[in-house]
Amino acid sequence: MAFNFNWSPLIADTSRAREMLTTALNKSPKPPIIVDDIIVTELNLGSTPPELEILEIGDLAEDRFRGIFKMSYTGNAFLTLKTKVQANPLNTYLSTKPDFASPQPLAAASGLVIPLQITLSDIRLSGFVILVFSKQKGITLVFRNDPLESLKVSSTFDSIPFVRDYLQREIEGQLRVLFMEDLPAIIHRLSLRLWSPEYQELETEQRLDGMKDAAAPIDPLSTPPQDAVDAFGNPLDESQISSLSRDPTSEVHASFSQKNILHLTALSESQRTLSLFTPSIREAVFRAWAGQPDRNESGSNTPALTQSSLSRIQSTFGSMKSASSSVASGSTGNDTQSSRPTLSSNYSAPAGLNLGANRLRTHPMRKRKKRVVNLRRDRDGGESSGVSTEANTPAPSTNVSETASVIHEEREKEEELVTPPKSPVKQGLRFEGKHGSLDVGEPGRVSKKSSAEGLLPAPLLADPSRLSKSKQKAKVSTPLIIEEPEKEKKMASGRPPLSHNHLRRTRQTTSPLLRSLSLDKVSTLSSGSRLSVPPHSYTENTSSSGGILEQAWMLKMAQEIARKVQEEKEKEAYRDRESSPSPNPQGLFHPQPQSTSKRGGIWAQDEDDAPPAYVA
Amino acid sequence: MLDFMDNVQNAFYEASHWNVDNSYGALNATARALLDFQTPKGLRLQISSLAAPNFATSYTLGSVGVVDGSVSYLYSSLPLRGRFKSSDLDLHNVIKGYRHLQKLRRPDEDWWWEVWHSGKRIDRRDTLLYGRIFLPQSTLEALYLRRLSPTKQLKISAVSSSSLNNGGTILALLQNDVGKYSTEYMYSTDSVLMGVRGLYNFGPDPRVAPTIPVTAQEIAEPVHGRFSAGAELYYGLLNKSGGISTGLRFTTLPNHTGFPYTMTLTLNPLMGNLSSTYAVKAGQNLALCSRIDFNFYSYESELQLGCELWRRRRNTDIEWAVKKLRPDWKQPNVAPDEDVSGILKARVDQNWKIGVLWEGRIKELLFTLGASLDLKKREQIIRAVGIELQYSS
C-alpha cells in the first residue's frame, strides 16, 4: 500500500494560508525594530513535495488516520514577508529607555522606516510529524521536535552583514515558534474549513465578529480539548473533560506488593486471553496493553460483581504500570488462590484510578477499531513516540501513545524496555523479545476459544515461578504491535519461540475464576453493545486535541512506568538467574528486526479480515 | 505645562547663569514646544512647595486605570528666590511656547564666583540634587547637577527600575558653554553610549564684544538675528551603532522689528532625514509653527502644524472706558498674566492626528486639559483625554 499525496492542489491556492500566517505572525509582541504588521505576500509551496517516511500508523480508515511520519523537506518552497522596520538603531534603542536618563538627541534618532521584504527560501526541514486526521475533527499535525534545520533569509538588507545576520537569527527564532505552535493551529483550522461545514459557518460568524482569535494557539498540553466529543459524537460536558485533562499521574500509583502484582498480572493476562468480557470488536486489533481500557469500559457497566472482578484486573494493570510501588497490601504473601477472594476488595479501589482515560468511559461498549502499526525503527522510536491521538480518547489510543512515549523516554534502554502487557491477550497472543511485539488476537475470537478450551482448572496459578516468568516475559516485550492471530502465526515462524505458551497456560488457569465472576454478564453486555454500536461510531470519536493532551499525561506516566518496569525487570532477571536454573527456551528473548514483523503484520491483517474501508 | 520641579530647575539654571537655550539639544526647542507637547492622560494632581529657598518637595497622584504617584525632593545649594506659588507665578515660565532667544550673555568670569574670606576661598560650586520615586512601579529617578565653573556644568541623571536592563541606567553629561559656542559630552551606561554635541553661534562673540570698537555700519544695521549651526554624534560601543545629525537655526533677536521668527533645518545624513521648522510669533498672543519632515531615502514626508494662542480676558465693563482713554495716557501697570484666561495649544499632522491642550490658571490652581484625537479612526476618534491640576506654595 502506498499513499498518494497530491501535492499540486496544495500549491494552487495559498491565499487562506497566507492570511492565517499573517495573523499568526502578528500575534506575538514584536520587537521595537518592527514598526508595522508583518504581511505574508507570497507563499509558494514549491514543486517538490516533502518526503514522508511512515514510522507508525496508529489508526487507519477511510475517514480517519493517525500516524507518525518522519518528514524531510528540501524543496523549493518560498515565503515572502513584507513589513516595515525602523532602520535607525538609535531610535529603537531609545524607544525602550526612560526619557529621564536619555541623551535626547536632536535628530540623530529620527526614524527611517524602511519597507522590508524578506524572502525565506531553501527551507530545510527534518522532523517527526504526528498526524491525526479525522473527517469530523480535521487534521491535527504536531511536530515532535523542532523541524527547522536551515533556511535562507534574503532581504532588502543583504548587503549589510550586521542586519542580515540579525534578521536571520530573528526569523529563525520566529519560525521555530511558528512550526511548533502556530502551524498546527493553522492546519487544523484549514482542515476544519475544508471538511466541516458547521465549522465553516461558525467561522464565518466569527469573522464577522472581527476575527479576533483567528489563529488562537492550541496548546494541546495545557488546555483541555475545546470541542470534545465522545464515541458517539455527543459533546462531552465540562466535568468529563476536566476529568480527562486533570488525571494526575499519581493515580496510577496503587499500593501493591511485588508478588501480588506478578500474580495479578498473570491472572489478568489469562483473563484477557479468555476475554470473557472483552467486547468482541470486529476488525479490531489491540495493542498489547491497549485492551485494558476496553475492558474497563465494559466493566464499568457491568453489575457490581463483575465490575469488581474487572476492576481487579484493571488494578493489576495499574500496579503493573506503576510497577511495584509496593506498599504491600495485606495479601502480599499469599498465593493466588488465597488472594483470590480478597483480590477484588483489595484492588478494586485503585481500579478506577489506574487509567485516566477510564473516566471517559461513560458510554459503555465503546468498541474501537485500533490498528497500531509500528513501523518504527529503533533509532526512530524516540521521535515517533508521541503518537498523538485522538481527543477524548478512547483508551486504546492512549495506550498507544503510552507505549510510544515509554520508548521515547527510555530510548537508550529500549533494548530491554519492559512494558506490562495490558491488552486483552488471547490465544494467538505472542510476546516477543526486545523489539518484539505483543500480538493480541481479536477479543471476540478469544472469547470463543476460551470458552472452548479455557476451562482448565487453575492450579497453575499457584505456581509462582511460572507466573512470574511469564509475566516477566510479558513485560519485557514491548507491546507495540497488535496483530491478528493469522498474521501472527505467519510471523511466528520467523521468530524464536516465545513465551506465549506460558502465557496461554496462565491465562487458562485463571479463566474459571473470571468466568465465574463475570462471564455471563460481560459477554451478554458486550454482545449487546456490539449490536448497538456499529463500528462506525468510532470514527466520529477521533478528535485531535485530546489525544495530545492525554499524550502529555501518558508521557509522564510512561516515564514512570518505564523506570519502574525496568527496575523490576532487572530484579526479575537477577532472580531468574539465581533461582530458576531451568531456562525456558521459549522464554528467551531474541531481538528481532521489528520492522519486518510490523509491516507484515498490518498489511497481512488487512488482507485477512479488514473491512473494505481498510483495504488501502 | 512644566512640572513644578522642572520649573525649579530652570530657576536654578537662571540663578546660576546657565543658558539652557545655548545648546544643540535646544536647537529646535520652539518647534518641539509647539508641536510635540504631551497631552495628559487621565487625572493627575500635583501638590508642590518650595518650603525653603533651597528645598522643594512635590507629590503627584495620578489615576490612569490604576492609582499611581510619585514623591520628589529637590535640594539646591543656590537659594532660589523666584515666584513659585501657583497663584502668582509667571505663566510664561511654566508654559513652553515660542522661545524668544535673548542676546548671548557674556559668560561669568571665573573670579566672579570666587568668594574669599580672610585669605581663604570659601565659595562652593552650586549643586542641585533631585530625586523622585514613582509608586507603585518603584522607579527611582535621580539627578545630580553641578556647576563646575561659570562655563561648565555636570549633569548626572540616573533611573533605577527593575524593568530596565541591568536594573537601571545612568547618563553623565558634561556641558561647556562659552556663549559663542557650546559643547556637550555624554556617556550613558546603557549599551555604553557615548555622544558629543556642539553648537556654534555665528556673529559677534559675546566674550570679546566690548573690546572691539563699534563701527558705524554696525550701528546702522544692528544685528537682529542669530545664525547657529551644530552637530551631534553618538556611538554605542556595545551595539556598535551610532547616530549623527547636523542642524542650522536662524532666529530673530529681540531687537528685530518685525515678527519674531525661528527657522531650523536639521539633517540626519545617515538616515536621510531632513526636517525643517518654521515658527513665527505672529503677535503677542499667537505663535504658529510648521514642520516638514522629509526622508530622502524612503521618500516619506510628514507635515505638522501647530499654534499657541494666549487668550486674554476682556473686562467688558470697562472696555468702553479703555477705548476712550487717550493713547498717550499710561495704562495702569498690571501683572503681565493677570488677564490670561487660558492658553490654547493645538497641533495637527497630515494624518489628521490632533492634539489639543488648554492650560491656565483658576484661582490658585494651574490646570492642563488635553485631548488627542485621531480623525482617521472613525470608531475611536478620541484617543486620550486628561486633566492635570497643580498647586504649589
Side-chain angles (χ1 to χ4, degrees):
Chain A
M1 178 182 138
F3 292 97
N4 188 14
F5 287 112
N6 202 351
W7 188 245
S8 43
L10 287 172
I11 312 172
D13 179 29
T14 55
S15 61
R16 274 211 195 287
R18 278 208 309 266
E19 218 171 85
M20 287 176 164
L21 267 177
T22 303
T23 321
L25 285 171
N26 291 309
K27 194 183 59 193
S28 55
K30 294 183 281 284
I33 194 169
I34 294 174
V35 294
D36 198 11
D37 283 354
I38 305 171
I39 298 161
V40 179
T41 53
E42 244 181 304
L43 174 64
N44 192 328
L45 293 177
S47 54
T48 320
E51 285 174 22
L52 287 175
E53 185 180 333
I54 303 164
L55 295 179
E56 180 173 327
I57 294 175
D59 195 359
L60 186 61
E62 226 171 26
D63 50 357
R64 70 207 145 86
F65 175 80
R66 196 180 68 235
I68 304 179
F69 299 92
K70 181 172 186 286
M71 186 197 69
S72 64
Y73 180 73
T74 53
N76 52 350
F78 67 90
L79 173 71
T80 306
L81 305 170
K82 210 171 69 181
T83 186
K84 286 180 181 169
V85 292
Q86 177 57 258
N88 192 343
L90 204 60
N91 186 299
T92 53
Y93 154 75
L94 289 175
S95 65
T96 58
K97 305 295 174 228
D99 272 351
F100 188 76
S102 144
Q104 289 175 323
L106 182 76
S110 61
L112 170 58
V113 174
I114 297 184
L116 172 68
Q117 184 154 319
I118 301 175
T119 303
L120 312 179
S121 55
D122 288 342
I123 302 168
R124 299 277 171 275
L125 300 177
S126 164
F128 293 89
V129 186
I130 297 152
L131 177 71
V132 180
F133 162 70
S134 112
K135 207 152 200 172
Q136 196 196 16
K137 291 281 133 198
I139 292 176
T140 304
L141 186 143
V142 182
F143 288 95
R144 266 308 282 173
N145 58 340
D146 180 8
L148 186 65
E149 268 189 350
S150 72
L151 97 152
K152 186 182 163 207
V153 178
S154 44
S155 70
T156 326
F157 296 119
D158 269 357
S159 50
I160 311 168
F162 171 75
V163 181
R164 190 190 56 210
D165 294 347
Y166 175 81
L167 283 175
Q168 175 94 31
R169 214 168 45 236
E170 284 285 315
I171 287 167
E172 274 188 22
Q174 286 274 350
L175 267 188
R176 280 175 216 283
V177 175
L178 178 83
F179 273 118
M180 298 294 281
E181 290 171 14
D182 297 331
L183 193 64
I186 291 173
I187 289 178
H188 184 68
R189 218 159 259 277
L190 274 173
S191 63
L192 282 183
R193 205 190 311 251
L194 199 60
W195 283 296
S196 161
E198 302 163 22
Y199 182 81
Q200 280 171 2
E201 290 166 17
L202 200 118
E203 202 189 47
T204 322
E205 286 170 23
Q206 270 182 354
R207 200 178 287 202
L208 289 177
D209 287 348
M211 211 171 157
K212 274 174 192 162
D213 54 348
I218 295 173
D219 186 355
L221 301 187
S222 67
T223 55
Q226 280 140 351
D227 41 9
V229 292
D230 63 7
F232 306 97
N234 307 319
L236 288 177
D237 62 38
E238 295 274 341
S239 61
Q240 281 169 312
I241 292 172
S242 65
S243 75
L244 159 73
S245 56
R246 277 176 219 151
D247 275 337
T249 357
S250 58
E251 283 186 355
V252 294
H253 294 264
S255 318
F256 292 105
S257 78
Q258 193 102 325
K259 204 169 177 184
N260 274 343
I261 288 167
L262 300 183
H263 291 337
L264 291 168
T265 314
L267 188 72
S268 63
E269 277 162 7
S270 58
Q271 203 172 12
R272 262 183 257 136
T273 325
L274 298 169
S275 75
L276 294 176
F277 26 75
T278 312
S280 58
I281 304 166
R282 287 190 312 119
E283 309 127 5
V285 189
F286 295 92
R287 243 175 220 261
W289 44 332
Q292 171 211 354
D294 260 46
R295 255 180 298 142
N296 204 17
E297 246 170 59
S298 58
S300 63
N301 297 283
T302 46
L305 178 61
T306 314
Q307 197 165 5
S308 65
S309 70
L310 280 172
S311 56
R312 189 199 321 154
I313 296 153
Q314 296 304 321
S315 66
T316 62
F317 291 127
S319 60
M320 281 292 295
K321 276 197 226 156
S322 62
S324 73
S325 48
S326 60
V327 180
S329 51
S331 58
T332 311
N334 296 347
D335 273 344
T336 327
Q337 292 102 328
S338 60
S339 62
R340 235 185 272 157
T342 57
L343 273 178
S344 58
S345 59
N346 279 344
Y347 296 111
S348 53
L353 302 175
N354 57 5
L355 258 191
N358 294 347
R359 299 253 174 109
L360 279 180
R361 303 302 132 107
T362 48
H363 298 269
M365 298 293 102
R366 184 181 304 174
K367 282 172 282 172
R368 63 192 38 266
K369 266 188 265 175
K370 282 292 160 224
R371 284 169 200 206
V372 178
V373 183
N374 193 350
L375 304 180
R376 204 188 285 137
R377 283 169 308 196
D378 294 346
R379 56 183 180 86
D380 293 334
E383 258 61 29
S384 51
S385 55
V387 188
S388 87
T389 43
E390 318 173 348
N392 318 315
T393 311
S397 71
T398 67
N399 281 333
V400 169
S401 52
E402 211 174 305
T403 345
S405 22
V406 169
I407 288 169
H408 176 51
E409 299 301 326
E410 299 290 308
R411 210 165 157 184
E412 69 281 358
K413 295 183 194 166
E414 197 182 15
E415 290 295 303
E416 338 146 282
L417 180 72
V418 249
T419 0
K422 290 190 185 112
S423 69
V425 188
K426 63 155 195 179
Q427 287 306 99
L429 174 91
R430 179 191 71 230
F431 287 114
E432 262 192 20
K434 313 191 172 169
H435 303 292
S437 45
L438 171 64
D439 291 354
V440 184
E442 197 179 41
R445 253 185 233 206
V446 173
S447 62
K448 271 179 240 152
K449 276 188 198 168
S450 62
S451 59
E453 63 188 23
L455 298 180
L456 303 178
L460 280 175
L461 267 183
D463 182 357
S465 69
R466 261 184 197 266
L467 279 177
S468 64
K469 236 178 266 172
S470 63
K471 184 234 162 196
Q472 184 199 352
K473 272 146 209 164
K475 275 197 299 170
V476 170
S477 65
T478 348
L480 295 178
I481 304 190
I482 302 156
E483 295 172 2
E484 312 234 340
E486 293 85 354
K487 170 61 208 148
E488 165 212 60
K489 274 163 199 160
K490 275 185 223 158
M491 306 305 305
S493 63
R495 252 172 233 173
L498 291 174
S499 61
H500 56 276
N501 288 341
H502 291 274
L503 290 170
R504 190 188 302 158
R505 232 175 295 164
T506 50
R507 258 176 264 135
Q508 288 164 352
T509 58
T510 41
S511 59
L513 163 72
L514 296 171
R515 198 177 32 216
S516 66
L517 290 173
S518 56
L519 172 61
D520 43 353
K521 280 161 190 164
V522 173
S523 57
T524 52
L525 184 64
S526 62
S527 59
S529 65
R530 194 189 316 158
L531 291 175
S532 63
V533 183
H536 270 294
S537 63
Y538 289 110
T539 63
E540 297 165 358
N541 203 11
T542 49
S543 83
S544 37
S545 46
I548 299 162
L549 183 96
E550 281 195 7
Q551 179 194 343
W553 175 72
M554 287 301 179
L555 208 74
K556 239 194 271 172
M557 202 176 71
Q559 260 177 296
E560 182 79 9
I561 294 163
R563 192 172 52 80
K564 294 214 167 156
V565 161
Q566 177 67 28
E567 284 170 13
E568 197 190 353
K569 188 221 149 195
E570 280 167 10
K571 232 181 278 173
E572 285 285 343
Y574 181 73
R575 202 189 304 166
D576 272 6
R577 241 180 288 138
E578 294 233 321
S579 64
S580 69
S582 65
N584 193 342
Q586 291 173 327
L588 291 179
F589 303 129
H590 297 272
Q592 186 171 355
Q594 209 178 348
S595 53
T596 58
S597 69
K598 281 176 234 155
R599 231 162 249 149
I602 184 161
W603 304 134
Q605 169 196 353
D606 281 344
E607 288 159 14
D608 283 337
D609 53 0
Y614 284 96
V615 183
Chain B
M1 186 170 293
L2 267 189
D3 204 42
F4 175 79
M5 285 303 184
D6 293 332
N7 191 19
V8 173
Q9 275 177 44
N10 284 340
F12 174 84
Y13 288 131
E14 202 171 319
S16 64
H17 302 295
W18 183 259
N19 186 358
V20 185
D21 290 322
N22 199 22
S23 150
Y24 182 71
L27 191 78
N28 54 9
T30 295
R32 284 214 303 265
L34 291 175
L35 298 175
D36 297 340
F37 54 86
Q38 292 278 323
T39 54
K41 273 185 188 170
L43 177 68
R44 218 161 77 91
L45 303 170
Q46 183 173 49
I47 299 172
S48 347
S49 155
L50 188 71
N54 299 83
F55 190 72
T57 55
S58 175
Y59 308 93
T60 58
L61 195 67
S63 143
V64 191
V66 290
V67 175
D68 59 352
S70 70
V71 180
S72 50
Y73 296 97
L74 183 144
Y75 165 79
S76 158
S77 67
L78 199 64
L80 304 172
R81 305 207 183 275
R83 287 183 297 170
F84 296 103
K85 282 188 164 63
S86 54
S87 51
D88 69 341
L89 56 70
D90 186 355
L91 281 180
H92 287 92
N93 284 344
V94 291
I95 288 169
K96 288 194 285 184
Y98 184 87
R99 301 232 19 124
H100 216 156
L101 295 192
Q102 305 297 311
K103 269 200 144 171
L104 288 173
R105 267 183 87 251
R106 186 181 170 203
D108 295 351
E109 298 292 342
D110 279 352
W111 54 267
W112 289 7
W113 285 23
E114 293 173 8
V115 180
W116 294 85
H117 180 69
S118 60
K120 268 189 185 168
R121 237 183 107 172
I122 56 158
D123 59 299
R124 295 245 203 94
R125 298 284 169 260
D126 297 327
T127 307
L128 184 139
L129 292 170
Y130 165 73
R132 182 179 193 182
I133 185 160
F134 291 87
L135 298 168
Q137 302 99 313
S138 300
T139 300
L140 183 73
E141 288 178 358
L143 173 72
Y144 173 80
L145 197 63
R146 188 174 175 88
R147 293 297 312 274
L148 300 175
S149 77
T151 59
K152 272 197 183 65
Q153 173 177 278
L154 178 67
K155 183 180 178 183
I156 297 174
S157 43
V159 176
S160 169
S161 169
S162 58
S163 63
L164 298 172
N165 291 342
N166 306 321
T169 172
I170 300 173
L171 174 78
L173 181 68
L174 179 67
Q175 295 172 295
N176 277 307
D177 178 14
V178 295
K180 179 77 174 167
Y181 64 89
S182 81
T183 56
E184 290 169 84
Y185 307 93
M186 67 185 72
Y187 172 81
S188 168
T189 57
D190 214 343
S191 78
V192 197
L193 184 83
M194 293 187 284
V196 183
R197 290 202 284 219
L199 181 74
Y200 181 82
N201 295 308
F202 295 93
D205 191 335
R207 288 170 299 179
V208 295
T211 57
I212 295 177
V214 179
T215 62
Q217 194 194 12
E218 277 181 48
I219 294 167
E221 297 176 16
V223 181
H224 51 73
R226 188 197 305 154
F227 192 72
S228 314
E232 66 182 344
L233 174 69
Y234 298 91
Y235 188 71
L237 275 186
L238 284 192
N239 52 17
K240 294 190 180 54
S241 60
I244 190 170
S245 81
T246 60
L248 299 171
R249 175 182 66 191
F250 180 80
T251 184
T252 57
L253 294 177
N255 58 0
H256 178 66
T257 49
F259 294 125
Y261 62 92
T262 303
M263 296 184 293
T264 66
L265 180 71
T266 56
L267 169 71
N268 185 334
L270 276 185
M271 296 300 143
N273 205 305
L274 194 65
S275 170
S276 67
T277 69
Y278 179 73
V280 60
K281 196 160 171 60
Q284 193 198 355
N285 298 326
L286 179 65
L288 300 167
C289 183
S290 69
R291 176 166 62 196
I292 298 167
D293 288 326
F294 177 68
N295 194 304
F296 51 81
Y297 288 155
S298 66
Y299 297 119
E300 284 189 338
S301 59
E302 200 177 335
L303 171 69
Q304 277 188 304
L305 301 171
C307 76
E308 179 194 28
L309 179 66
W310 288 66
R311 187 174 162 78
R312 295 177 191 276
R313 222 177 275 117
R314 287 278 167 91
N315 199 333
T316 46
D317 287 347
I318 57 163
E319 196 154 355
W320 61 272
V322 172
K323 276 182 184 164
K324 294 205 180 228
L325 287 174
R326 291 192 183 171
D328 54 327
W329 285 8
K330 268 283 183 191
Q331 289 206 12
N333 233 348
V334 288
D337 296 334
E338 200 64 20
D339 57 343
V340 172
S341 64
I343 300 106
L344 174 76
K345 278 192 192 177
R347 62 151 184 258
V348 60
D349 70 3
Q350 92 275 19
N351 293 321
W352 292 104
K353 282 183 183 160
I354 294 177
V356 187
L357 213 57
W358 177 250
E359 299 170 302
R361 175 162 52 200
I362 301 176
K363 306 281 185 196
E364 299 200 339
L365 279 182
L366 297 175
F367 70 90
T368 305
L369 261 167
S372 58
L373 316 169
D374 191 344
L375 296 189
K376 278 273 180 70
K377 289 196 174 172
R378 287 285 164 203
E379 67 275 13
Q380 195 191 1
I381 285 182
I382 297 177
R383 310 280 294 168
V385 183
I387 181 166
E388 278 182 29
L389 296 174
Q390 287 188 32
Y391 174 79
S392 58
S393 65

